Amino acid sequence: MPAQMPAIPWHKPRKADPRQPLSRSLIVETAIRVLDAEGLSGVTMRRVAHELGTGPASLYAHVSNKEELFDLMLEQVVAEIRLPLRPEPARWKEQITEICFEAQRVLTAHRDVSLVSLGSIPVGESQLRITEFLLDLLLQVGMPPQVAAWALDGLGQLIDTDAYEASVYHEKMARGTDIGAYFDQLRGYLHDLPTDRFPTLQRMADTMVTGDGDQRYAFKIEVFLRGLESFLPADAPAPATPPGRRPAPTSGEQAWHGGGASEAHG
């Protein structure tokens, strides 16, 4: 059985009274349903209490405030992110890219929840398992420890900002905006800019609007990883499997797992 996680100092201790009709997990699940339906701005203590058929005061017996509720929601959402079964140093850039796309998939499935992540430091168990995996991977490659630590900060911001921007576009499409038509209009606008003032933008009009969201996201990740690679010492040893660690899975093995679950995903 895994060792128990320490309590997060600024979170309210869990209520252990089985007579309580509410529970922290039920409150969080309900809040996520509101998030998925209405976005983060729709998640208030009053709104969640209404969904549960109670008053806001009942919620405060389980969560300190809305900020703690947001933290707990993010932690539950991040638990959906699947990680590879083990780090593969020989494929470190590919694995980081895969994790970035997996994180984006999960975050964008829950509207603008990435706003919570942008304003917080990962301390929950589900978030820390991702930090642990990436740190282990980067250190195995030979990345200097301080570079590895700061790299995770940059990667987190890259993932969160891209996911938030994607949620904004999804909102626009939900309101009936034709994104394809919007970018066609943007291309035409750039073509029509005054040549004497914006000659480069006018000439680059088609190039500026080329590529979908996934292509642009992949490019940003690649730029980040190429820069990160430059911090590797010139004499860094080739990545190897440390003693006691299983070798990388073959193509026939299942290579992904969820947050603490035993279920593997292809």
Side-chain angles (χ1 to χ4, degrees):
M1 178 179 295
Q4 186 173 355
M5 292 290 292
I8 296 173
W10 51 90
H11 284 188
K12 182 181 287 293
R14 290 177 181 269
K15 287 284 186 180
D17 186 350
R19 296 170 297 176
Q20 286 281 352
L22 293 178
S23 67
R24 179 178 292 185
S25 60
L26 178 59
I27 292 169
V28 173
E29 290 168 5
T30 304
I32 291 175
R33 287 202 302 272
V34 175
L35 165 73
D36 292 346
E38 303 175 18
L40 195 63
S41 63
V43 181
T44 65
M45 301 295 273
R46 184 175 299 278
R47 179 74 176 84
V48 174
H50 176 76
E51 287 293 309
L52 291 167
T54 187
S58 300
L59 273 57
Y60 288 109
H62 301 273
V63 293
S64 301
N65 47 43
K66 187 171 71 173
E67 286 68 32
E68 182 183 350
L69 178 58
F70 283 179
D71 287 345
L72 295 169
M73 291 164 58
L74 177 64
E75 172 68 6
Q76 184 155 317
V77 167
V78 169
E80 300 174 22
I81 295 175
R82 303 171 301 175
L83 292 176
L85 286 178
R86 61 192 63 86
E88 299 176 49
R91 295 183 60 250
W92 70 276
K93 287 188 285 187
E94 290 88 345
Q95 280 199 316
I96 290 176
T97 300
E98 292 163 1
I99 292 169
C100 286
F101 269 94
E102 170 68 3
Q104 184 205 51
R105 178 191 69 80
V106 170
L107 291 174
T108 55
H110 294 283
R111 303 284 284 261
D112 53 352
V113 72
S114 55
L115 281 175
V116 181
S117 184
L118 276 169
S120 65
I121 296 173
V123 293
E125 183 175 5
S126 296
Q127 298 166 74
L128 290 178
R129 70 184 174 87
I130 300 173
T131 301
E132 175 71 20
F133 184 97
L134 291 171
L135 273 178
D136 185 17
L137 175 60
L138 290 174
L139 293 175
Q140 285 189 49
V141 172
M143 201 67 65
Q146 189 63 75
V147 173
W150 286 346
L152 296 193
D153 189 38
L155 269 176
Q157 291 178 2
L158 191 159
I159 293 167
D160 291 336
T161 54
D162 192 88
Y164 176 65
E165 184 176 57
S167 74
V168 172
Y169 280 110
H170 290 163
E171 287 292 327
K172 288 182 177 180
M173 288 187 287
R175 294 195 298 267
T177 299
D178 186 328
I179 297 297
Y182 169 78
F183 280 106
D184 285 341
Q185 291 174 334
L186 177 59
R187 179 186 292 108
Y189 174 77
L190 295 176
H191 272 300
D192 293 340
L193 288 172
T195 306
D196 59 334
R197 296 173 59 196
F198 305 102
T200 307
L201 273 173
Q202 186 191 57
R203 186 174 69 252
M204 292 278 291
D206 291 334
T207 305
M208 295 295 289
V209 298
T210 295
D212 62 21
D214 282 351
Q215 290 172 315
R216 290 168 179 260
Y217 186 45
F219 173 75
K220 286 181 280 189
I221 297 168
E222 183 178 357
V223 169
F224 184 94
L225 294 178
R226 286 191 187 187
L228 186 59
E229 190 173 26
S230 70
F231 286 93
L232 284 173
D235 59 349
T241 303
R245 188 181 298 274
R246 288 183 57 191
T250 65
S251 58
E253 289 187 81
Q254 294 173 310
W256 292 81
H257 69 81
S262 59
E263 179 186 7
H265 303 260

